[in-house]
Amino acid sequence: MRDTPLPLGMLLTLVAVGLGANRLARAADSGVLDSCPRPAAGTAVPEPRDLRSVHGRLELDLSVENTREADGTTRYCYRLGDGSESPTLRLWPGDWLVLRLRNRLTDLGNKAVASDAAPGHAHERSVDPCRSGAMSPISTNLHFHGLTVPPVCHQDEVLKTSIAPGGSPFEYRFRIPLDEPPGLYWYHPHIHGFSARQVSGGASGALIVEGLERAIPEVGGLPERVIVIRDQDVVYPDAAPAAVDPATTPFVDHDGDAANTGTGFGRPARDLSVNFVPVPYPDYPAATIRMRPGERQLWRVLNASSVTYLNLGMIWTRGHWRREQFMGLVAVDGVPLNANGSPTGSFEWRDRILVPPGARVELIVNGPAVGTSAQLVTRFVDTGPAGENDPNRPLVSIVTQPDAPEPVSTVPVAFAPLAPPTRPWLGGVTPARTRRLIFSEEPVDPAEPNSAMKFYLTVDGQVPKPFDPESSQPNLVVQQGDVEDWIIENRSSELHAFHIHQIHFEIVEWLGVAINEPFLRDTINVPYWTPRMAHYPSIKLRMDFRDPDTVGTFPYHCHLLDHEDAGMMGMIRVEPKPVPAQ
Ligand SMILES: [Cu+2]
């Protein structure tokens, strides 16, 4: 059964109490809310507000705003009329989403804004947002990451859709496909050239396709949390690293030995936050979550970082005893682990889970006993000689208390198992063809290896060049109904995260070894190259263009948004299937 939604008035009252009714009342008097307020470091992880579909429809008004802080950092946020930020949109397959987005971004007056505003910026308002294509720091749009909805304006189109500030709200209106896998998806801006600054400023939110318990019955009845990890500019870049790195303090591994802690230390490329609670370098004061002793919860974790990889782990500590704990992985990128129809193996216990920027994992987490403390950490990720420093750091301290408040949402118990997929499992389909795509980089000035880099994602055989937003020529044309194998090769010395809009894919080979994962992904890490390697590292993906909703033109790109903004992106056109002659 679906949860009965609270009446809107009651929800607003609850939110007002949560935010501090006085402050909201004052704000309402003045007609102005603080833009993008954020919790303090070390505080409790707040839950984003849940907005649930009612009678098959979720309708909301959202504004996107930005502000510059005294410390020089820039914030971007999605806000509801009551001031709450980044709501979680919860819909069932088949439901309608109607989202009216009001662009309230302002020119924050930094040099970059003045110099890189797109031509035509002054008269943007008169331009049809569906055909604008004018990508500027104050224009915006929305991408619904992972959903197979058509790449057309007002649904999930990002190559031409550009909403200028002011004017009337822009309406997104589409149906969640009936066969969309149940799990965690997300929304964020996708303005080419300016995605990284808007997303790292905080413009992102979760979208849940309900029904995970229908695929994975073990999650039914569990209290659930949505945990959004974001990155942002380092607030104290000049601080010396802490003398004791809390996540690298030695602990024992499963054999009882002192475990390898890796070398991840030093200043990170970006600070991280947990549902907007900052965990800043150098001391990393962890955000806190209270849980009842031994309680089991479902955590839906989104890596909404612009460039930071997560390598999640859970460490339990009792006195001098420290040990890694397993977490039960139930879904990746919105797809349950038993998506291939197999009734067995519906989840896996893992102690380290790599989550590239843009990816999601849904986890069964066990609360420790009273007297044992626990920390969710992200471990060092070796991003390659040209990559960003991504050290060990804690994210969340779990505090056990018998009377800890329960999360707002509980996963319902399944009313019926998920219908079996209507199409044959992707892993069993013979691909129509195989293509090769190549990640590469080169210095702007080849004589100066330390100069800025150019970033390419090239179809093998084509000349590497940055994505051209003015071009209407796709880099690739495929036929709806086809399944293809794509080899993604990395010729650069840093990690990249391959993502394609509209579809999910299956990993069929990793570094030349067949793996045939039983589930699907939409964002995948591609290992980096070093001169010692005999071959460029590559992965092979089985790409699924069978769904008619994929027809149209859309991008594929690196989900390290700095790379995407710099041109590591391409355009694919899926042609409609020809109607057979009678
Ligand atoms: Cu990249």
Side-chain angles (χ1 to χ4, degrees), residues 418-449:
L418 197 63
T422 52
R423 298 186 189 94
W425 171 241
L426 192 57
V429 177
T430 304
R433 64 193 60 78
T434 299
R435 303 178 195 265
R436 183 180 296 266
L437 281 78
I438 299 156
F439 281 118
S440 66
E441 301 176 10
E442 65 177 356
V444 172
D445 177 2
E448 177 45 72

Short mmCIF file of all heavy atoms in Angstrom, two decimals, residues 418-449:
data_model
loop_
_atom_site.label_atom_id
_atom_site.label_comp_id
_atom_site.label_asym_id
_atom_site.label_seq_id
_atom_site.Cartn_x
_atom_site.Cartn_y
_atom_site.Cartn_z
N LEU A 418 7.49 -7.30 -8.30
CA LEU A 418 7.65 -6.51 -9.52
C LEU A 418 7.38 -7.41 -10.73
O LEU A 418 7.81 -8.56 -10.76
CB LEU A 418 9.08 -5.98 -9.56
CG LEU A 418 9.41 -4.83 -10.49
CD1 LEU A 418 8.63 -3.58 -10.08
CD2 LEU A 418 10.91 -4.54 -10.45
N ALA A 419 6.67 -6.87 -11.71
CA ALA A 419 6.40 -7.65 -12.92
C ALA A 419 7.72 -7.99 -13.60
O ALA A 419 8.65 -7.17 -13.60
CB ALA A 419 5.51 -6.86 -13.87
N PRO A 420 7.83 -9.19 -14.17
CA PRO A 420 9.09 -9.52 -14.86
C PRO A 420 9.30 -8.60 -16.05
O PRO A 420 8.33 -8.08 -16.61
CB PRO A 420 8.89 -10.97 -15.31
CG PRO A 420 7.42 -11.23 -15.23
CD PRO A 420 6.84 -10.25 -14.24
N PRO A 421 10.57 -8.34 -16.42
CA PRO A 421 10.83 -7.44 -17.55
C PRO A 421 10.16 -7.95 -18.83
O PRO A 421 10.05 -9.16 -19.02
CB PRO A 421 12.35 -7.45 -17.70
CG PRO A 421 12.89 -8.37 -16.66
CD PRO A 421 11.78 -8.93 -15.85
N THR A 422 9.70 -7.02 -19.66
CA THR A 422 9.01 -7.42 -20.88
C THR A 422 9.99 -7.74 -22.01
O THR A 422 9.64 -8.43 -22.96
CB THR A 422 8.07 -6.29 -21.36
OG1 THR A 422 8.82 -5.08 -21.43
CG2 THR A 422 6.91 -6.10 -20.40
N ARG A 423 11.22 -7.20 -21.90
CA ARG A 423 12.21 -7.49 -22.94
C ARG A 423 13.21 -8.51 -22.41
O ARG A 423 13.45 -8.57 -21.21
CB ARG A 423 12.96 -6.21 -23.32
CG ARG A 423 12.07 -5.14 -23.91
CD ARG A 423 12.87 -3.94 -24.41
NE ARG A 423 11.95 -2.88 -24.76
CZ ARG A 423 11.61 -1.90 -23.93
NH1 ARG A 423 12.13 -1.82 -22.73
NH2 ARG A 423 10.74 -0.98 -24.30
N PRO A 424 13.83 -9.28 -23.31
CA PRO A 424 14.84 -10.23 -22.86
C PRO A 424 15.97 -9.51 -22.14
O PRO A 424 16.27 -8.35 -22.43
CB PRO A 424 15.36 -10.86 -24.16
CG PRO A 424 14.30 -10.59 -25.18
CD PRO A 424 13.62 -9.32 -24.77
N TRP A 425 16.58 -10.22 -21.17
CA TRP A 425 17.70 -9.63 -20.40
C TRP A 425 18.80 -9.18 -21.35
O TRP A 425 19.23 -9.92 -22.25
CB TRP A 425 18.22 -10.65 -19.38
CG TRP A 425 19.48 -10.20 -18.71
CD1 TRP A 425 20.70 -10.81 -18.74
CD2 TRP A 425 19.64 -9.02 -17.92
NE1 TRP A 425 21.62 -10.08 -18.03
CE2 TRP A 425 21.00 -8.98 -17.51
CE3 TRP A 425 18.79 -7.98 -17.51
CZ2 TRP A 425 21.52 -7.95 -16.71
CZ3 TRP A 425 19.31 -6.95 -16.73
CH2 TRP A 425 20.66 -6.96 -16.33
N LEU A 426 19.28 -7.95 -21.13
CA LEU A 426 20.26 -7.31 -22.00
C LEU A 426 21.50 -8.20 -22.20
O LEU A 426 22.05 -8.27 -23.30
CB LEU A 426 20.64 -5.97 -21.37
CG LEU A 426 21.42 -4.97 -22.19
CD1 LEU A 426 20.70 -4.63 -23.49
CD2 LEU A 426 21.66 -3.70 -21.37
N GLY A 427 21.93 -8.85 -21.13
CA GLY A 427 23.14 -9.67 -21.20
C GLY A 427 23.02 -10.84 -22.16
O GLY A 427 24.04 -11.39 -22.60
N GLY A 428 21.79 -11.22 -22.50
CA GLY A 428 21.60 -12.36 -23.40
C GLY A 428 21.35 -11.96 -24.84
O GLY A 428 21.16 -12.82 -25.70
N VAL A 429 21.35 -10.64 -25.10
CA VAL A 429 21.03 -10.16 -26.46
C VAL A 429 22.33 -10.04 -27.26
O VAL A 429 23.35 -9.56 -26.76
CB VAL A 429 20.34 -8.78 -26.39
CG1 VAL A 429 20.07 -8.23 -27.78
CG2 VAL A 429 19.04 -8.88 -25.59
N THR A 430 22.30 -10.49 -28.51
CA THR A 430 23.47 -10.34 -29.37
C THR A 430 23.51 -8.91 -29.90
O THR A 430 22.54 -8.44 -30.51
CB THR A 430 23.39 -11.31 -30.56
OG1 THR A 430 23.26 -12.63 -30.03
CG2 THR A 430 24.65 -11.24 -31.42
N PRO A 431 24.61 -8.19 -29.65
CA PRO A 431 24.65 -6.80 -30.09
C PRO A 431 24.66 -6.67 -31.61
O PRO A 431 25.25 -7.51 -32.30
CB PRO A 431 25.95 -6.27 -29.49
CG PRO A 431 26.79 -7.48 -29.24
CD PRO A 431 25.84 -8.61 -28.97
N ALA A 432 24.01 -5.61 -32.12
CA ALA A 432 23.98 -5.38 -33.58
C ALA A 432 25.35 -4.98 -34.09
O ALA A 432 25.70 -5.27 -35.23
CB ALA A 432 22.95 -4.30 -33.90
N ARG A 433 26.13 -4.28 -33.28
CA ARG A 433 27.46 -3.86 -33.70
C ARG A 433 28.25 -3.46 -32.46
O ARG A 433 27.68 -3.32 -31.38
CB ARG A 433 27.40 -2.70 -34.69
CG ARG A 433 26.80 -1.42 -34.15
CD ARG A 433 26.48 -0.43 -35.24
NE ARG A 433 25.51 -0.95 -36.20
CZ ARG A 433 24.20 -1.03 -35.97
NH1 ARG A 433 23.68 -0.62 -34.82
NH2 ARG A 433 23.37 -1.52 -36.87
N THR A 434 29.56 -3.29 -32.66
CA THR A 434 30.43 -2.84 -31.57
C THR A 434 31.10 -1.54 -31.99
O THR A 434 31.55 -1.41 -33.13
CB THR A 434 31.49 -3.92 -31.26
OG1 THR A 434 30.83 -5.11 -30.85
CG2 THR A 434 32.42 -3.46 -30.14
N ARG A 435 31.11 -0.59 -31.09
CA ARG A 435 31.79 0.69 -31.35
C ARG A 435 32.82 0.91 -30.27
O ARG A 435 32.76 0.31 -29.21
CB ARG A 435 30.80 1.86 -31.31
CG ARG A 435 29.63 1.74 -32.25
CD ARG A 435 28.72 2.94 -32.07
NE ARG A 435 27.42 2.75 -32.68
CZ ARG A 435 27.08 3.15 -33.90
NH1 ARG A 435 27.96 3.79 -34.65
NH2 ARG A 435 25.88 2.93 -34.38
N ARG A 436 33.74 1.83 -30.54
CA ARG A 436 34.76 2.17 -29.56
C ARG A 436 34.75 3.68 -29.35
O ARG A 436 34.74 4.45 -30.32
CB ARG A 436 36.14 1.71 -30.05
CG ARG A 436 37.28 1.96 -29.06
CD ARG A 436 38.60 1.47 -29.65
NE ARG A 436 38.61 0.02 -29.85
CZ ARG A 436 39.09 -0.86 -28.96
NH1 ARG A 436 39.63 -0.44 -27.84
NH2 ARG A 436 39.04 -2.14 -29.23
N LEU A 437 34.72 4.12 -28.08
CA LEU A 437 34.79 5.54 -27.74
C LEU A 437 35.99 5.76 -26.85
O LEU A 437 36.32 4.90 -26.03
CB LEU A 437 33.52 6.00 -27.01
CG LEU A 437 32.29 6.27 -27.89
CD1 LEU A 437 31.61 4.98 -28.31
CD2 LEU A 437 31.30 7.16 -27.16
N ILE A 438 36.62 6.90 -27.01
CA ILE A 438 37.92 7.12 -26.37
C ILE A 438 37.92 8.40 -25.54
O ILE A 438 37.63 9.49 -26.05
CB ILE A 438 39.03 7.19 -27.44
CG1 ILE A 438 39.08 5.86 -28.20
CG2 ILE A 438 40.38 7.54 -26.82
CD1 ILE A 438 39.68 5.96 -29.57
N PHE A 439 38.24 8.25 -24.26
CA PHE A 439 38.52 9.41 -23.40
C PHE A 439 39.97 9.81 -23.61
O PHE A 439 40.87 8.95 -23.50
CB PHE A 439 38.35 9.06 -21.92
CG PHE A 439 36.93 9.01 -21.43
CD1 PHE A 439 36.38 7.84 -20.93
CD2 PHE A 439 36.16 10.16 -21.39
CE1 PHE A 439 35.09 7.80 -20.44
CE2 PHE A 439 34.85 10.13 -20.90
CZ PHE A 439 34.32 8.95 -20.42
N SER A 440 40.24 11.10 -23.90
CA SER A 440 41.63 11.54 -24.00
C SER A 440 41.74 13.00 -23.59
O SER A 440 40.73 13.71 -23.53
CB SER A 440 42.17 11.34 -25.42
OG SER A 440 41.49 12.18 -26.33
N GLU A 441 42.97 13.41 -23.30
CA GLU A 441 43.23 14.79 -22.89
C GLU A 441 44.52 15.23 -23.56
O GLU A 441 45.38 14.39 -23.84
CB GLU A 441 43.44 14.88 -21.36
CG GLU A 441 42.26 14.39 -20.56
CD GLU A 441 42.52 14.40 -19.05
OE1 GLU A 441 43.56 14.96 -18.62
OE2 GLU A 441 41.70 13.83 -18.33
N GLU A 442 44.65 16.53 -23.79
CA GLU A 442 45.95 17.05 -24.22
C GLU A 442 46.09 18.47 -23.73
O GLU A 442 45.10 19.18 -23.55
CB GLU A 442 46.12 16.96 -25.74
CG GLU A 442 45.16 17.82 -26.52
CD GLU A 442 45.43 17.74 -28.02
OE1 GLU A 442 46.39 17.09 -28.43
OE2 GLU A 442 44.66 18.35 -28.77
N PRO A 443 47.36 18.89 -23.47
CA PRO A 443 47.55 20.26 -23.00
C PRO A 443 47.16 21.26 -24.10
O PRO A 443 47.37 20.98 -25.29
CB PRO A 443 49.04 20.35 -22.67
CG PRO A 443 49.65 19.07 -23.10
CD PRO A 443 48.60 18.13 -23.58
N VAL A 444 46.61 22.40 -23.68
CA VAL A 444 46.27 23.45 -24.64
C VAL A 444 47.53 23.87 -25.39
O VAL A 444 47.52 24.07 -26.59
CB VAL A 444 45.63 24.66 -23.89
CG1 VAL A 444 45.47 25.84 -24.83
CG2 VAL A 444 44.29 24.25 -23.28
N ASP A 445 48.63 23.97 -24.64
CA ASP A 445 49.92 24.30 -25.24
C ASP A 445 50.84 23.09 -25.10
O ASP A 445 51.36 22.83 -24.02
CB ASP A 445 50.53 25.53 -24.53
CG ASP A 445 51.91 25.87 -25.07
OD1 ASP A 445 52.37 25.18 -26.01
OD2 ASP A 445 52.53 26.82 -24.54
N PRO A 446 51.03 22.33 -26.18
CA PRO A 446 51.81 21.10 -26.08
C PRO A 446 53.24 21.33 -25.58
O PRO A 446 53.85 20.42 -25.02
CB PRO A 446 51.83 20.56 -27.52
CG PRO A 446 50.73 21.27 -28.22
CD PRO A 446 50.57 22.59 -27.54
N ALA A 447 53.75 22.56 -25.78
CA ALA A 447 55.12 22.84 -25.33
C ALA A 447 55.15 23.07 -23.81
O ALA A 447 56.22 23.08 -23.22
CB ALA A 447 55.66 24.07 -26.05
N GLU A 448 54.00 23.26 -23.23
CA GLU A 448 53.94 23.55 -21.80
C GLU A 448 53.01 22.53 -21.14
O GLU A 448 51.78 22.70 -21.11
CB GLU A 448 53.39 24.99 -21.61
CG GLU A 448 53.20 25.43 -20.18
CD GLU A 448 54.37 25.09 -19.28
OE1 GLU A 448 55.43 25.75 -19.41
OE2 GLU A 448 54.22 24.17 -18.45
N PRO A 449 53.60 21.42 -20.65
CA PRO A 449 52.76 20.33 -20.14
C PRO A 449 51.88 20.74 -18.96
O PRO A 449 50.88 20.08 -18.68
CB PRO A 449 53.78 19.27 -19.68
CG PRO A 449 55.10 19.68 -20.24
CD PRO A 449 55.03 21.15 -20.54
#
